[in-house]
Amino acid sequence: MDEQLLAFLSYLEQEYQYSENTIAAYRNDLSQFLEHEERRAGSVLTDGSAITEEDIQQYLEYMKHKDQPYASSTIARKVAAIKSFFNYLTAQGIIDENPTVEIDSPKVKKRLPQTLTLGEVERLLESPLSANSAKNLRDVTLLNVLYETGMRVTEVVSLQLDDVDLEAMTLSSPTRQGEDRRIPLVGDTQTMLTEYLAESRPQLARDPQERALFLNHRGEKLTRQGLWLIIKGYARQAGLNTEVTPHTLRHSFAVHRLSRGTKLEEIQHLLGHANISTTQIYAQMEALDEESKQSAPAD
């Protein structure tokens, strides 16, 4: 079934523009499932029609009761991948009947995203200011852009010089639906980005043809891994005890904006969410925060 799997992964990439990480997760989950089915059958599978609903149910039980059982969230992800694969095979006419129609995913308790307090954000953003260098100016600009825009890590490292409009003070970033969204730069981020472009980036740049906005010490486009390491280092320098990732800043941006009165629909636009239901988790977090403040004993 290797050809069918490759065709499915190509379909996800072309039709839905899934990221490399998402495609890799689908490949891993489906390869594990197909390898399990081949071991069970004792032969190489050439056609998805050989797999039945009972086989998939058995695989679910295997994942739940193996020596080191998968977490329910992991099982739910793997089931979703299997269902998507067989939906594709059925839609393409490769198999006649979809064996996943009656398969239910395990219920997963949704955890609230991790966020920082305003004080913790301030400490993090001030960490790069301990030294005056091209790298530190890049880093403080980078952290401010992440927090003040709520952009995803992939979006930030993908920014090009042409995506910056200093006159309008906006950044341009495509949504996952392919639409272009304009993200306003506010507060100190405007000044920092202007200074970075005028002073820091020219020192980091080595190739005049390089158009990436944020560069590493070699003058090349900053990578996702590089950005993660930068944040991790400054979080440690700021003495933050919680794990801080680019998504922590994204979540913090949304919650803090809501607490300052920004409408949920505007948060949805800034985050690039296709559905407002995805954004509503932040309203729930804000409500829980207000509830905890009201229930706290008075001094």
Side-chain angles (χ1 to χ4, degrees), residues 125-142:
L125 298 185
E126 289 178 349
S127 292
L129 299 177
S130 59
N132 184 18
S133 68
K135 173 184 175 298
N136 285 67
L137 180 53
R138 178 204 64 188
D139 293 345
V140 72
T141 304
L142 189 59

Side-chain angles (χ1 to χ4, degrees), residues 1-20:
M1 295 184 62
D2 288 346
E3 290 185 6
Q4 294 174 2
L5 176 57
L6 290 174
F8 172 63
L9 296 175
S10 177
Y11 169 79
L12 293 180
E13 183 178 13
Q14 294 175 14
E15 294 295 323
Y16 295 97
Q17 285 83 51
Y18 283 169
S19 68
E20 290 183 11

Side-chain angles (χ1 to χ4, degrees), residues 40-224:
R40 180 192 57 78
S43 61
V44 175
L45 296 175
T46 58
D47 193 333
S49 61
I51 297 174
T52 66
E53 178 183 336
E54 184 179 352
D55 295 332
I56 299 173
Q57 291 287 9
Q58 188 275 334
Y59 184 61
L60 275 171
E61 293 302 311
Y62 160 75
M63 290 191 289
K64 293 176 184 176
H65 302 107
K66 60 198 292 280
D67 291 340
Q68 293 183 325
Y70 289 125
S72 59
S73 57
T74 302
I75 295 176
R77 189 196 70 222
K78 291 179 180 294
V79 170
I82 293 170
K83 290 173 76 72
S84 294
F85 182 45
F86 280 97
N87 286 341
Y88 165 80
L89 294 180
T90 306
Q92 296 295 317
I94 298 172
I95 60 176
D96 295 328
E97 294 185 10
N98 188 340
T100 68
V101 172
E102 300 297 328
I103 300 291
D104 294 322
S105 297
K107 292 184 178 180
V108 180
K109 186 177 180 180
K110 200 166 187 178
R111 293 186 298 177
L112 295 179
Q114 179 71 40
T115 62
L116 300 176
T117 65
L118 286 170
E120 289 172 331
V121 169
E122 185 175 338
R123 283 159 55 193
L124 179 66
L125 298 185
E126 289 178 349
S127 292
L129 299 177
S130 59
N132 184 18
S133 68
K135 173 184 175 298
N136 285 67
L137 180 53
R138 178 204 64 188
D139 293 345
V140 72
T141 304
L142 189 59
L143 292 175
N144 273 272
V145 166
L146 277 165
Y147 173 66
E148 293 292 356
T149 66
M151 295 175 72
R152 301 178 180 89
V153 58
T154 303
E155 294 173 333
V156 171
V157 298
S158 298
L159 284 171
Q160 301 289 298
L161 291 175
D162 293 340
D163 295 325
V164 182
D165 188 336
L166 289 178
E167 185 175 341
M169 275 302 169
T170 60
L171 293 176
S172 177
S173 180
T175 66
R176 289 181 174 177
Q177 294 73 45
E179 301 170 354
D180 186 54
R181 76 184 195 275
R182 306 294 293 182
I183 304 172
L185 295 169
V186 299
D188 293 338
T189 309
Q190 299 180 3
T191 303
M192 290 178 181
L193 188 57
T194 301
E195 291 180 359
Y196 166 73
L197 288 170
E199 302 174 16
S200 178
R201 191 183 183 282
Q203 295 182 51
L204 294 170
R206 297 186 182 182
D207 180 0
Q209 301 301 316
E210 177 59 69
R211 302 299 294 169
L213 175 60
F214 290 109
L215 306 177
N216 60 24
H217 66 281
R218 294 185 298 274
E220 301 168 348
K221 174 185 172 183
L222 188 67
T223 64
R224 288 169 50 93

Side-chain angles (χ1 to χ4, degrees), residues 242-299:
T242 185
E243 181 182 6
V244 183
T245 70
H247 246 63
T248 308
L249 293 176
R250 179 173 164 85
H251 297 321
S252 301
F253 156 85
V255 172
H256 296 166
R257 279 294 189 93
L258 278 173
S259 69
R260 294 199 294 265
T262 303
K263 292 183 178 181
L264 196 63
E265 292 78 8
E266 185 176 345
I267 299 293
Q268 175 194 3
H269 169 74
L270 292 171
L271 293 177
H273 287 163
N275 299 308
I276 199 166
S277 59
T278 308
T279 320
Q280 286 171 339
I281 185 68
Y282 299 113
Q284 179 185 348
M285 292 173 66
E286 185 194 17
L288 289 173
D289 183 53
E290 287 299 319
E291 184 179 325
S292 65
K293 289 177 182 178
Q294 294 173 13
S295 61
D299 293 336

